[in-house]
Amino acid sequence: MTLSTETPPQRVRLSRSQATALITPEQIAASPLARYRTLVDDWDAFAAALGRPLPPCIWANPTRISVAELADLLAEQGLDAQPVPGLPAALRLPEETKAGRNWWYCAGLAHAQEEVSQLPAMLMDLAPGQRVLDLCAAPGGKTAQIAFALGNRGTLVANDIAHARIKALQGNLDRLGVVNVTTTCSDGANWPSASGQFDRILVDAPCSSEGTLRRTPSLLPRLDPDSGLRLGPRQRALLRKAVQRCRPGGRILYSTCTFAPEENELVVADILAEHPGMLRLVPAAVPGFVAMPGVTHWNGRELPPELAHCLRIWPHHRDTGGFFMAILEKDAGCPAEPTPEPAHLDDTDSVEWLAGLNDKYGLSGDYWTGYRANRQTRRGLHLMAADHAPPAVPLAESSGLFFHRTNVRPPKPSTGGALLFGRDITRFGVSLNTQQRDRYLRRETFDPTPEQRAATPTGQIILSYRGHVLGVGVLHRSGVIESLFPSRWSGCAA
């Protein structure tokens, strides 16, 4: 890479209407991004790409639908979904598509996540049985990908420092049916040693987010060429803690969505220097993705040549956002720590409640064999993978999926719980038509068809559309169906 000697430009000033419009090449040239001219292979193409809207992208939930089935379903809806080279589970959607406002999104068949953000889970070399930590996890797309790469079994800890973001994270995990994750709200830079070591750690570090400009054009006037001075110490602290908590022979993936070398290669270089002989950079590559190697010279500083093993995604190469990734492997000869004792969870009354669900919905007696139900709150039961072993510290926000509310009469499966087991029920299920589906998602009361009414006893029911569960409702004696779709999900209404 060529040494950059340009003086960083001043912040560009935009009006509110300009900030929400598409970005022009002239605005890019007048912004702090101009300091990357010597790093980009085609400046004009780079500036033009930042001025185009980011194509929406989704990935298929492997526990509920195949990519081909999802593409067929979208085609019937009139959406021309295109496969994404290098991302076998992903589909690129037409520009105007709002994925979160579609029934298939509500049903947890897919998750919306831009293409470059789907790469970390692919590069972590994940396998069932590994103990994994996602240190900066919200809003949860990468967490869910990791969970499914582990087979929705074992132990994945998803942490975030902000409690409000944990709620969004848990909501996504519930909708997708993830049962092998414990969420925690803690400062990742001070992650406790008592949690033990992990085979894989993801540090998707907070950053200046320059690579997200196509999705958030209003960010342009707030870009600061000195962001690395402000964010760098935090990023180093997170990566330093990940090195401490990584098992010998394990791997850490450090990623950001910014172009700034001060937040990318310089952070990695400093951590390598702090741990001589302990870490090595693993060459990063994604077949099907055009990418650039990491920077080895920047602003008068010569960086270790192995930083070329890092991966830079520039927006103009694949019509994506911008992204950076580095894979660090910890030497297998480093001292190992014993696996800590897992947290104690109360499962004393779970058998009775599970038997009640079996009787109500006609599930087999051994249906819950691969799960572990336990009580974490007075509201009801959580469900986790049978081999999930959350650490005792830090204190968990939630372990597994809140799936059955027992403090109401009659007890009620949560929407996430219904999405998980509803496809296997043999009683108290109703398949909706398109009009009923939309009214259900809008939380309206509606009439069943005569056939539905004749085939279904009154009471609590689980509703589906085209074989895919939507959630819970009540068939009243008066003959109407009441939607119990959660209000916080009601933006999914068609």
Side-chain angles (χ1 to χ4, degrees), residues 166-382:
I166 288 289
K167 290 184 177 180
L169 163 65
Q170 192 66 57
N172 281 322
L173 299 180
D174 289 353
R175 178 177 53 83
L176 295 167
V178 174
V179 294
N180 63 341
V181 172
T182 285
T183 55
T184 60
C185 187
S186 179
D187 179 1
N190 293 311
W191 185 262
S193 299
S195 67
Q197 293 179 314
F198 296 83
D199 300 293
R200 298 288 185 270
I201 300 178
L202 173 61
V203 183
D204 188 41
C207 67
S208 53
S209 304
E210 295 169 338
T212 69
L213 275 170
R214 298 183 65 183
R215 182 160 46 91
T216 316
S218 59
L219 178 65
L220 184 65
R222 302 197 301 273
L223 293 183
D224 183 357
D226 296 325
S227 61
L229 298 176
R230 175 173 52 87
L231 296 167
R234 172 90 181 145
Q235 293 159 341
R236 287 170 176 80
L238 288 165
L239 187 52
R240 188 178 296 118
K241 178 57 68 172
V243 173
Q244 295 174 5
R245 291 297 91 221
C246 184
R247 278 181 178 160
R251 289 188 176 184
I252 303 159
L253 193 142
Y254 176 80
S255 64
T256 74
C257 55
T258 191
F259 307 119
E262 296 87 351
E263 302 178 54
N264 294 331
E265 289 90 350
L266 271 64
V267 171
V268 175
D270 287 350
I271 297 302
L272 290 173
E274 290 178 13
H275 302 86
M278 182 185 293
L279 302 170
R280 78 175 183 96
L281 271 173
V282 178
V286 181
F289 259 80
V290 179
M292 299 284 283
V295 172
T296 55
H297 304 272
W298 181 250
N299 275 356
R301 178 174 172 180
E302 179 121 2
L303 303 174
E306 59 263 36
L307 284 170
H309 292 324
C310 300
L311 201 66
R312 281 180 162 264
I313 307 292
W314 295 94
H316 58 293
H317 287 154
R318 272 277 300 257
D319 197 21
T320 65
F323 213 69
F324 171 87
M325 288 174 289
I327 307 170
L328 297 91
E329 185 173 87
K330 190 170 182 179
D331 186 83
C334 293
E337 300 175 8
T339 301
E341 288 294 319
H344 172 73
L345 297 170
D346 179 14
D347 57 2
T348 53
D349 63 345
S350 63
V351 173
E352 177 184 350
W353 290 109
L354 294 179
L357 285 170
N358 292 347
D359 292 341
K360 164 78 174 181
Y361 293 107
L363 299 169
S364 64
D366 61 352
Y367 184 81
W368 308 101
T369 300
Y371 300 100
R372 178 184 175 193
N374 58 88
R375 185 175 295 278
Q376 298 171 30
T377 72
R378 294 180 179 179
R379 295 172 57 223
L381 297 180
H382 281 69

Side-chain angles (χ1 to χ4, degrees), residues 118-169:
Q118 299 180 41
L119 296 176
M122 293 184 59
L123 292 179
M124 291 178 69
D125 191 27
L126 296 162
Q130 293 171 341
R131 193 170 189 257
V132 183
L133 171 63
D134 187 349
L135 206 52
C136 311
K142 300 179 186 70
T143 304
Q145 285 184 296
I146 294 170
F148 292 137
L150 299 176
N152 213 8
R153 310 318 265 178
T155 303
L156 166 58
V157 180
N159 176 72
D160 203 89
I161 194 171
H163 193 268
R165 287 169 58 83
I166 288 289
K167 290 184 177 180
L169 163 65

Side-chain angles (χ1 to χ4, degrees), residues 445-470:
T445 297
F446 55 94
D447 294 323
T449 66
E451 293 78 13
Q452 292 169 337
R453 183 68 183 89
T456 310
T458 57
Q460 202 173 90
I461 55 176
I462 291 180
L463 301 118
S464 62
Y465 176 70
R466 298 188 57 174
H468 300 290
V469 178
L470 298 176

Side-chain angles (χ1 to χ4, degrees), residues 407-465:
N407 67 338
V408 294
R409 291 292 179 268
K412 181 184 84 69
S414 68
T415 301
L419 296 180
L420 183 72
F421 71 81
R423 61 189 171 185
D424 298 315
I425 65 173
T426 58
R427 294 195 292 267
F428 288 94
V430 175
S431 178
L432 304 180
N433 59 39
T434 303
Q435 183 181 25
Q436 291 173 325
R437 175 203 72 189
D438 293 345
R439 296 196 67 178
Y440 173 77
L441 294 176
R442 289 194 294 262
R443 293 172 49 83
E444 297 175 0
T445 297
F446 55 94
D447 294 323
T449 66
E451 293 78 13
Q452 292 169 337
R453 183 68 183 89
T456 310
T458 57
Q460 202 173 90
I461 55 176
I462 291 180
L463 301 118
S464 62
Y465 176 70

